[in-house]
Amino acid sequence: MLSAIIVAAGSSQRMGFDKLFALLGDKPVVAHTLDAFERTECVDEIILVGREDRLAELQELVRRASLKKIGHVVSGGVHRQDSVRAGLNLLAPDARYVAVHDAARPLVTAEQIGRVFEEARAHGAAALAEPITDTLKRGDENRFVCGGVDRAGLYAMQTPQIFSRDLLVEAYDAVAAKKLSITDEVSAVEQLGAKVLLVPNDEFNLKITYPRDLLLAQSFLSRRPSP
Ligand code: CTP
Ligand code: MG
C-alpha cells in the first residue's frame, strides 16, 4: 500500500499571501495537487497536512472535490519536517511505501508519481529531480565570481519523493535524535547512508514560490490537455 503525505502547512512568506489557496484556472493550487494524487492508481491513501488556521477550509475543499482517498486532514508544524512528521504519525498500519509531496507543486502528474513509485519499489527510495541546465558559479561575500561548479551530475530535487515506510520512519527518527534541520526527505534518508535513486524529470513541476510562478503555472495548465 502506498500512502501519500501532502504537506500544505507552510506560511507562503515569499509569496506574501496563502499561495496554496490562489486560483489556478478553476481551482486553488492545493486542489490541483490533491487531484493528481487522487487520480494516480497506485496511491491508496492521502494524508493532507495543513495550517491549523486553514484546516476547516481544507476539509471543505476535500469535501467539495469528492476526494475519496483522503484519510486525514491534520495540522502541521513550524518547519516542513515537522509537518512531514505529523503525517508520518498517521500512516495506515499497512502502508508499506510513503510518498511525500509539496502541495505547492500542483503541476505534478499521475505518470510522474507512478514512475517514482516504480523506482521506489525497486530500490527502496526514489525522488523526482531535474538535471541542472544553467551554468553554476560561486560568488564571494562581495558577490564577485570566485569559481565555478561543474553542473555534470547535479540535480535540483523535486517531489514526490517515495520511500519504503521503514526507511523513511527510521530516517526521521535519526533526524529528530540528531536535531538536524532538513528541507527534503532525501536529506533525511542520506543520513542513514541509504541509496536513493534520482528519477529525472524533464517536464515542468515547479514549486509555486513567488507571484511569477502562479503566472507560469497558469499558462502551462491552460495549454496542457486535461487529464
Ligand atoms: N510546508 C509545510 N509546513 C511548513 C513549511 C512548509 O507543510 N512548516 C509545505 C508548504 O506548504 C509547501 C512545501 O512544504 O507545500 C514546500 O515549502 P515552501 O515552498 O517553502 O512553502 P512555504 O514554506 O509556505 O513558503 P515560504 O518558504 O516562502 O514561506
Ligand atoms: Mg518554506
Side-chain angles (χ1 to χ4, degrees):
M1 165 173 181
L2 172 62
S3 289
I5 298 173
I6 309 292
V7 282
S11 48
S12 305
Q13 269 168 20
R14 286 168 286 186
M15 184 65 79
F17 54 89
D18 193 341
K19 60 189 183 182
L20 300 179
F21 283 88
L23 280 184
L24 273 185
D26 58 345
K27 56 191 178 215
V29 167
V30 60
H32 286 276
T33 310
L34 292 171
D35 275 355
F37 279 81
E38 178 82 17
R39 265 198 311 273
T40 305
E41 223 167 289
C42 60
V43 172
D44 300 290
E45 178 198 35
I46 300 169
I47 298 170
L48 176 59
V49 185
R51 289 167 57 107
E52 176 102 62
D53 59 348
R54 303 222 70 164
L55 277 195
E57 281 152 283
L58 282 175
Q59 264 148 355
E60 176 61 13
L61 182 150
V62 165
R63 199 188 56 75
R64 279 214 206 141
S66 318
L67 299 168
K68 308 271 182 310
K69 295 182 181 175
I70 305 270
H72 303 273
V73 181
V74 65
S75 57
V78 176
H79 303 292
R80 183 182 176 283
Q81 69 196 77
D82 306 323
S83 301
V84 174
R85 180 84 254 178
L88 286 175
N89 291 343
L90 290 170
L91 286 175
D94 49 351
R96 278 195 56 208
Y97 289 91
V98 182
V100 179
H101 183 74
D102 296 326
R105 293 187 191 271
L107 304 182
V108 70
T109 65
E111 186 277 328
Q112 289 164 356
I113 300 164
R115 198 147 45 90
V116 179
F117 183 44
E118 228 172 83
E119 299 293 7
R121 278 206 295 191
H123 303 280
L128 211 58
E130 188 181 4
I132 299 284
T133 54
D134 286 330
T135 296
L136 297 176
K137 291 290 173 205
R138 201 180 298 283
D140 66 15
E141 61 282 7
N142 298 315
R143 236 185 309 114
F144 286 107
V145 171
C146 65
V149 182
D150 184 3
R151 70 176 173 225
L154 288 187
Y155 292 80
M157 300 306 295
Q158 300 184 344
T159 66
Q161 302 187 350
I162 308 185
F163 308 87
S164 79
R165 177 206 188 125
D166 293 347
L167 177 65
L168 188 59
V169 168
E170 189 187 344
Y172 259 76
D173 286 348
V175 161
K178 294 185 203 160
K179 296 193 168 51
L180 299 175
S181 165
I182 50 163
T183 53
D184 75 345
E185 287 53 66
V186 168
S187 307
V189 165
E190 268 185 286
Q191 300 293 321
L192 299 179
K195 281 191 162 184
V196 181
L197 191 82
L198 295 163
V199 182
N201 183 21
D202 53 16
E203 282 170 64
F204 219 33
N205 180 28
L206 92 169
K207 180 161 72 69
I208 305 282
T209 304
Y210 297 104
R212 61 168 194 234
D213 298 325
L214 283 169
L215 295 174
L216 215 56
Q218 176 76 64
S219 134
F220 179 77
L221 273 176
S222 66
R223 285 165 179 78
R224 184 161 85 177
S226 46

